[in-house]
Amino acid sequence: MTLHQNLIAGEWVGGDGVANINPSDTNDVIGEYARASAEDAKAAIAAAKAAFPAWSRSGILERHAILRKTADEILARKDELGRLLSREEGKTLAEGIGETVRAGQIFDFFAGEALRLAGEVIPSVRPNIGVEITREPVGVVGIITPWNFPIAIPAWKIAPALCYGNTIVFKPAELVPGCSWAIVDILVRAGLPKGVLNLVMGKGSVVGQTMLDSPDVQAITFTGSTGTGKRVALASVEHNRKYQLEMGGKNPFVVLDDADLNVAVEAAVNSAFFSTGQRCTASSRVIVTEGIHDRFVQAMGERMKGLVIDDALKAGTHIGPVVDQSQLNQDTDYIAIGKQEGAKLAFGGELLKRDTPGFYLQPALFTEATNQMRISQEEIFGPVASVIRVKDYDEALAVANDTPFGLSSGIATTSLKHATHFKRNAEAGMVMVNLPTAGVDFHVPFGGRKGSSHGSREQGRYAAEFYTTVKTAYTLA
Ligand code: NDP
């Protein structure tokens, strides 16, 4: 089996491989991927540091061309890369291809941004002095990504880092190295100079920790769990470096009495269960006012009966497997916790057998849940949701905001008054009206507040805030 190696200082290196396993069929080994050591990570950081002076001064047309070529190749290979994504992560083929297209669009967007770098020239408050405000790259950026969006998250961190002239040490989640390896390979062939982008696949506790401990990494952008995010924060404070965290969520989806029932059910099912509930923007708390509660729960049950849970690559599958055994254990543990806490398991929650050995779980819906239960407060990260019954809009909003997290928040309503009030008062970085809590555009800011995020927003033009540092220059005329 081909060994996919790490990329350090422009060379493909590393011998020791780890098998990348298909969660829809654990007999299917996708490939072998090198496992970097701490020494490899140090060499990658040194290579990125050495490459920074030249790349930070590279022409915008060179950056544009490399990002553009990368976008073109990703889009041209969307079916093949989407298939690889679904095979290694377990989301459906349609979702895998959709995510791949999005990665291509992100590279395309930042190819354009490279040509639009600009500053400001403003008069000084003192006579005969000019003031220029410019943005400069930060330096060596450490990129640490999770397993649940194997191509989109690497794309939305790598593309702006390169666009603004930074060099990179990139560590993808060990569980899903395939798409990361593929986009690094594409970037290298698109003409990226040696050392500008270094790929170090391997364990977070080894490779990631080496990045956190290095004084030569000037910025770290991280997406993953709250626990690891805190480690990134503490280590970054120690080194006085910039850091950006995207972490967990416990996103509420509110359904009001005046909601269109079909719109509400479709958005709730999508939010809670699509991509196997493994999205940081997924909703696992459905907060429903009492006038529509029973009709809503019944309609959810009917809709859930129609969901096909099977091999991610099979035509007709709506929901693929859970990503691995340990995540499946976490999901079933929370189903048991929900029952112990007194919530009623109204639908699903059973382990499923399919033609191939995989981590198949019937999506689960609890009713009679309260917001104080652990299933309503802690991130499950699987296809498990609970319905919380409330009296009216005011209580719904209070319950929606009663969480340590603040990534995404949704509402189903036909009332302009309530939609407007919710947009203004939901304590979240993203608010959705009559739409699922998950599913965002690639050209606008992404991120949350409270315990979900730290630092400036990702994606769109707001990404410049993290990947650049501002310089103010004064000149005597
Ligand atoms: P983890 O935090 O375990 O892992 C995220 C990344 O951090 C992985 O690459 C991991 O490496 C790495 N890592 C682990 N330990 C360290 C360390 N000591 N130092 C540096 N890096 C380390 O999260 P998961 O990958 O398990 O992702 C699931 C979690 O991420 C969920 O809780 C979810 O809420 C959250 N998430 C949030 C998103 C958001 O945008 N808000 C988006 C996606 C996920 P490795 O796994 O290879 O060991």
Side-chain angles (χ1 to χ4, degrees):
M1 185 160 290
T2 321
L3 174 70
H4 299 79
Q5 294 177 297
N6 283 311
L7 183 75
I8 299 175
E11 306 298 329
W12 293 105
V13 293
D16 200 12
V18 181
N20 184 3
I21 307 282
N22 177 353
S24 297
D25 177 1
T26 53
N27 292 325
D28 176 27
V29 179
I30 297 156
E32 293 278 326
Y33 290 80
R35 178 177 266 177
S37 63
E39 289 313 309
D40 293 331
K42 285 180 189 160
I45 294 166
K49 186 179 176 184
F52 179 70
W55 180 250
S56 64
R57 293 189 187 92
S58 57
I60 56 171
L61 207 50
E62 180 184 0
R63 294 184 215 167
H64 165 81
I66 292 168
L67 294 169
R68 179 67 198 271
K69 257 180 141 174
T70 302
D72 288 348
E73 182 168 339
I74 291 173
L75 292 171
R77 291 171 55 194
K78 67 179 170 44
D79 293 338
E80 171 214 337
L81 292 172
R83 194 177 168 80
L84 170 65
L85 196 167
S86 299
R87 204 170 149 212
E88 70 174 348
E89 200 271 349
K91 61 183 70 172
T92 65
L93 195 52
E95 290 170 329
I97 293 171
E99 187 182 326
T100 304
V101 168
R102 182 159 167 217
Q105 289 166 329
I106 290 166
F107 275 101
D108 187 44
F109 178 86
F110 284 103
E113 285 301 285
L115 298 179
R116 285 190 282 269
L117 295 177
E120 288 178 74
V121 176
I122 55 177
S124 168
V125 291
R126 291 169 283 166
N128 301 325
I129 290 179
V131 183
E132 291 161 37
I133 301 166
T134 50
R135 284 187 179 274
E136 296 186 352
V138 179
V140 175
V141 174
I143 295 180
I144 302 178
T145 58
W147 49 260
N148 66 334
F149 282 92
I151 198 164
I153 294 180
W156 83 50
K157 294 181 190 294
I158 292 172
L162 294 176
C163 166
Y164 298 114
N166 301 281
T167 56
I168 298 172
V169 179
F170 169 37
K171 195 217 95 60
E174 196 171 35
L175 207 50
V176 293
C179 291
S180 293
W181 191 93
I183 53 173
V184 170
D185 171 56
I186 292 170
L187 277 156
V188 168
R189 287 185 292 95
L192 208 57
K194 287 180 190 248
V196 171
L197 171 62
N198 301 273
L199 172 69
V200 274
M201 300 174 288
K203 278 184 173 302
S205 55
V206 177
V207 177
Q209 194 62 44
T210 304
M211 291 160 69
L212 302 195
D213 294 340
S214 172
D216 290 329
V217 177
Q218 276 87 27
I220 291 192
T221 174
F222 167 85
T223 302
S225 64
T226 307
T228 312
K230 280 195 179 143
R231 298 176 81 104
V232 174
L234 290 171
S236 297
V237 168
E238 182 71 26
H239 292 293
N240 194 26
R241 73 160 72 93
K242 252 182 147 170
Y243 64 99
Q244 177 184 56
L245 311 174
E246 289 301 339
M247 303 175 288
K250 196 69 194 171
N251 309 296
F253 185 73
V254 170
V255 180
L256 297 185
D257 286 353
D258 62 32
D260 176 316
L261 189 62
N262 286 335
V263 167
V265 168
E266 279 312 307
V269 165
N270 179 317
S271 304
F273 306 131
F274 284 14
S275 300
T276 324
Q278 298 173 155
R279 295 183 286 190
C280 44
T281 46
S283 171
S284 52
R285 292 189 298 145
V286 189
I287 301 159
V288 187
T289 49
E290 53 195 9
I292 196 172
H293 178 276
D294 293 355
R295 278 184 294 137
F296 174 79
V297 168
Q298 195 189 352
M300 280 290 279
E302 288 304 317
R303 180 69 177 83
M304 287 172 71
K305 276 186 211 154
L307 293 174
V308 177
I309 295 89
D310 208 333
D311 189 321
L313 298 175
K314 258 193 193 169
T317 296
H318 298 125
I319 295 172
V322 172
V323 74
D324 71 353
Q325 186 64 52
S326 106
Q327 184 62 50
L328 183 62
N329 293 346
Q330 180 164 313
D331 298 347
T332 51
D333 284 353
Y334 272 108
I335 291 171
I337 290 168
K339 288 181 194 164
Q340 283 157 17
E341 288 181 310
K344 180 179 158 209
L345 183 59
F347 305 102
E350 299 299 317
L351 292 177
L352 300 172
K353 285 229 172 305
R354 293 293 178 256
D355 293 346
T356 48
F359 308 110
Y360 297 107
L361 176 65
Q362 182 86 43
L365 187 72
F366 281 104
T367 54
E368 313 304 331
T370 69
N371 200 47
Q372 285 69 45
M373 292 176 177
R374 284 182 63 194
I375 53 165
S376 305
Q377 287 293 319
E378 297 171 16
E379 185 174 55
I380 300 172
F381 221 55
V384 183
S386 39
V387 175
I388 301 168
R389 188 198 299 256
V390 291
K391 191 163 48 60
D392 55 17
Y393 169 75
D394 290 339
E395 189 184 352
L397 177 66
V399 170
N401 287 338
D402 182 13
T403 164
F405 297 105
L407 188 57
S408 179
S409 199
I411 189 166
T413 180
T414 51
S415 154
L416 180 62
K417 180 179 150 201
H418 286 139
T420 306
H421 190 270
F422 191 78
K423 279 191 277 186
R424 172 68 188 81
N425 292 286
E427 293 170 3
M430 294 169 293
V431 184
M432 311 291 184
V433 178
N434 293 321
L435 287 168
T437 53
V440 295
D441 285 3
F442 64 87
H443 66 309
V444 291
F446 175 91
R449 53 175 81 169
K450 292 160 76 175
S452 289
S453 304
H454 179 90
S456 50
R457 290 287 186 263
E458 301 201 76
Q459 303 198 55
R461 304 195 78 175
Y462 283 65
E465 215 46 64
F466 181 73
Y467 294 97
T468 62
T469 181
V470 170
K471 181 175 276 175
T472 312
Y474 297 83
T475 310
L476 180 63

